[in-house]
Amino acid sequence: PLFGRIENSNLILNNAGLMVSNKFEEISGFYPDIIIDKFIVMPNHLHAIMLAAAGRAYSSPGRTDSQRYCTQE
């Protein structure tokens, strides 16, 4: 598995899994408008609930200035 293994019903993260977990915890520090509500690293994938603050500027490679704002419907 990519990020770890299940052993006795417990997830044991390997170095890659620990790195992914640590980086997800740091996302809001790099992107203040992104909030990680919940996340879990699984042996071969991850699940995350991420919230983006609406109406605030964000930067993303390949986007034009007119695409730099989140909008609410």
Side-chain angles (χ1 to χ4, degrees), residues 3 8 14 21-22 24 34-35 40-41 59 65-66:
F3 299 127
N8 297 324
N14 60 20
S21 180
N22 289 336
F24 251 78
I34 301 297
I35 299 165
I40 185 166
V41 179
S59 178
D65 284 339
S66 64

Side-chain angles (χ1 to χ4, degrees), residues 9-39:
S9 299
N10 293 311
L11 175 63
I12 309 297
L13 295 176
N14 60 20
N15 287 339
L18 291 170
M19 179 188 67
V20 168
S21 180
N22 289 336
K23 293 302 176 187
F24 251 78
E25 290 176 359
E26 296 174 357
I27 286 176
S28 294
F30 289 100
Y31 304 99
D33 293 339
I34 301 297
I35 299 165
I36 306 298
D37 186 44
K38 303 275 185 206
F39 76 94

